[in-house]
Every structure is written in C-alpha cells, then in structure tokens.
Amino acid sequence: MRIIVEEHPNILDVSELLRPEKSFTDKDVSKFRDYTVDDNDPLKERVRRTYKLMHTHQTVDFVKGRHAEWLKFDHFKANIRDALEKLNDLVDESDPDLDLPNIVHAFQTAERAREEYPEWDWLHLTGLIHDLGKVMAFYGEPQWAVVGDTFPVGCEWGPSIVYREDSFVDNVDGANPKFNTKCGMYQPKCGLQNLTMSWGHDEYLYRVLKHNKSTLPDQALYMIRYHSFYPWHSGGDYGHLTTEKDEEIKNWVLLFNRYDLYTKSTKKPDMEALWPYYQGLIDKYCPGELEW
C-alpha cells in the first residue's frame, strides 16, 4: 500500500495511516498496545509499574535536570553500530507487545520501511536507529525515564495517556497552579517545538543527532523526536498547543508509526546479513564516532 500522493510527493494521504492491511503484521491490529490491567499477567504488571513510576516522577524540574545532565553529551563516545549493539541487552519494560531485545525491533522496523519505500534510504536508517536513545538505560537512567509514551510536562495531562486515570496521583506538578491548567506554562498554539516533553529516548536521540550534525532530513528528525508522543499523534490530545505546521509533522510521524508499532513480532531478521546495507546508510547520514 502506497500512501504518497504521486502528484505531490511530499504530501501524505493520511486516510490509511492507522488502518494497516492484515498482511502488514502477524497478529490482529487490535492486539497491539494492550494496556488493560491484569494483576495475574507479569508482563502487563511490569508495564503498569513502569508507567506509574514515569507518571509520578516526570515533572518540570525533573526534565530540566535531565537536560542539564544529558545534553552536555559527555557520557560516552560510540559509532552508531556499537551503540545499537548495546540494545542486544535491553528489553523495554514499557512495551506490552514484545519481550525481545530492542535491536530485534530496530531491524524489524527498518526492513518493513525499506520494503514499502525502497527509494527512501533515510527512512530505512530512521527505522533502524529510532530507539537508540534507550542506551541511556546503560548509563544509570531508570527505564521509566528512557522508554514508553511521552507527553508535555508543565500542563494538564492529556486524557488519552495510558493509565491516565490514576497513575499521576503522586506527581507534584498536579498540585501546582503554574502547571496544572490546560495550557499550563505554555501559550495557546505555541507549537510542538516549544513544548518541554517528558524525558526519554525520543528527545535524547533527536538532540544527539543534532549535536553531532547528522544529515538526516527534517522528516526523519520529526519521526525520531515524536514517535512516542501517542497522546498527540494517535490520541488527539494537545491540539490547543499545536499549529497547522504540526499537522504536517504528524503525518510523517503516523507514517513512521506503521513500521514502529505494527512490525513487532517474534520473527527475527537476519541481522548479520543486513549489516552491510545499513552500515552504508550510517556512513552516509551519521558517520564516525558520535558524542553521547
């Protein structure tokens, strides 16, 4: 299925973005992102605990502290492949869909994007590296500050946030009149790029790529920065803070969401056979040793 309007190759037809065909995945679409509560299911309980910690501790002050800590880019130096291979040892504790090392998901995402859009090599690489910010988990950052859906801090929490009903009860920003109104510390229609997002792998990798002067196009950076912002791109929240331009960004993020979400399965790609192709893309868009 193609979703590019051929007469205008930079315009996306969003009508199909959230309706992937049956062949796109090896399980029913309705089974993805299942956040139902089941005290007897260890995977679901792990996910719920992760989000409870996230929603308790992700405050304005916490995020400012993470920026001060991580945006000095002095934690380690590594090329993209070495950083990716660290994800062999990471299982995302917020993910209800898959209990495999994150690097498997990276190749699943990249290969599905490559199959649909063979001409967009930047999209293939974006699929491969989109979760690479999760390397923070190997440098002292708890998973609740690395993985999972993101949301703006400093304003009322969107109603579609997972476990929204009771997971924020201990978050101190909820009692602060500067931060607990609909707009909070923002102006109406201020735009996505003026929001302070909860700290996690999306924002971190976006900042790493900008700091290291990656030549990936803006569309790739949008996908990386906002792919976990489900309350906005899929839940319909935060429209009072976004602009018309952000709707174009949303279309690119929703395109990427097809590969990020619906390719999760237990089928493992032959990663060693695929490395030469992806190393060429790394050398093209993010060469050499990066500062993290």
Side-chain angles (χ1 to χ4, degrees):
M1 178 181 65
R2 305 288 289 178
I3 62 169
I4 298 299
V5 180
E6 295 300 336
E7 294 85 352
H8 303 283
N10 292 319
I11 299 176
L12 300 180
D13 175 4
V14 300
S15 62
E16 297 291 336
L17 287 174
L18 293 178
R19 295 191 290 114
E21 64 271 27
K22 187 177 177 65
S23 62
F24 199 86
T25 178
D26 63 358
K27 70 178 182 179
D28 188 87
V29 171
S30 66
K31 301 300 183 183
F32 288 93
R33 289 182 61 80
D34 179 3
Y35 293 103
T36 55
V37 175
D38 183 349
D39 295 342
N40 297 313
D41 185 325
L43 176 59
K44 288 185 176 180
E45 279 302 287
R46 182 193 73 187
V47 171
R48 185 165 65 144
R49 284 194 302 271
T50 301
Y51 274 102
K52 179 61 170 73
L53 289 166
M54 178 197 303
H55 294 167
T56 296
H57 298 295
Q58 289 272 6
T59 64
V60 172
D61 284 346
F62 174 79
V63 174
K64 287 180 179 177
R66 294 300 83 202
H67 287 186
E69 171 71 18
W70 284 96
L71 302 187
K72 294 181 288 188
F73 307 105
D74 61 356
H75 283 74
F76 65 103
K77 293 182 179 181
N79 60 44
I80 291 289
R81 177 166 182 168
D82 287 345
L84 271 168
E85 289 185 337
K86 287 180 178 291
L87 299 187
N88 273 316
D89 298 318
L90 180 71
V91 174
D92 185 332
E93 294 176 359
S94 73
D95 194 338
D97 298 320
L98 197 61
D99 204 20
L100 289 171
N102 223 243
I103 196 170
V104 176
H105 169 56
F107 276 96
Q108 290 170 334
T109 304
E111 282 296 284
R112 195 61 179 88
R114 182 182 177 188
E115 182 179 337
E116 282 214 340
Y117 291 98
E119 70 275 24
W120 286 357
D121 63 354
W122 61 265
L123 181 61
H124 315 161
L125 182 60
T126 302
L128 186 72
I129 69 172
H130 74 282
D131 278 344
L132 193 47
K134 293 178 183 180
V135 295
M136 288 190 293
F138 299 103
Y139 294 88
E141 203 70 15
Q143 282 219 19
W144 56 261
V146 173
V147 302
D149 294 0
T150 58
F151 54 91
V153 295
C155 63
E156 183 179 75
W157 302 298
S160 72
I161 295 175
V162 297
Y163 308 113
R164 168 68 176 85
E165 185 175 344
D166 58 7
S167 60
F168 285 96
V169 293
D170 297 318
N171 187 306
V172 297
D173 283 359
N176 189 330
K178 294 180 180 178
F179 305 140
N180 64 8
T181 62
K182 190 167 184 175
C183 287
M185 65 184 190
Y186 308 108
Q187 295 298 315
K189 299 295 181 182
C190 61
L192 273 182
Q193 297 199 20
N194 290 309
L195 300 180
T196 300
M197 300 300 297
S198 56
W199 182 245
H201 67 283
D202 298 42
E203 185 69 18
Y204 176 55
L205 180 59
Y206 166 77
R207 300 288 192 111
V208 166
L209 293 172
K210 294 288 283 186
H211 172 74
N212 287 283
K213 298 180 173 53
S214 167
T215 58
L216 281 167
D218 287 343
Q219 295 95 320
L221 298 178
Y222 299 152
M223 292 169 176
I224 288 166
R225 194 177 195 183
Y226 299 115
H227 72 271
S228 300
F229 191 8
Y230 277 89
W232 166 65
H233 66 65
S234 299
D237 299 345
Y238 301 103
H240 57 292
L241 297 175
T242 57
T243 66
E244 281 190 25
K245 180 184 177 182
D246 294 336
E247 290 304 305
E248 180 182 343
I249 293 174
K250 182 188 288 186
N251 292 345
W252 287 108
V253 176
L254 286 173
L255 167 65
F256 180 74
N257 183 246
R258 287 164 47 79
Y259 313 121
D260 181 22
L261 177 59
Y262 297 116
T263 56
K264 292 177 181 178
S265 76
T266 57
K267 297 176 182 176
K268 296 183 180 181
D270 186 345
M271 293 182 283
E272 283 305 313
L274 293 170
W275 265 123
Y277 173 73
Y278 286 100
Q279 186 61 55
L281 301 187
I282 292 167
D283 293 341
K284 179 177 179 180
Y285 292 107
C286 310
E289 190 175 65
L290 309 186
E291 295 177 337
W292 299 80

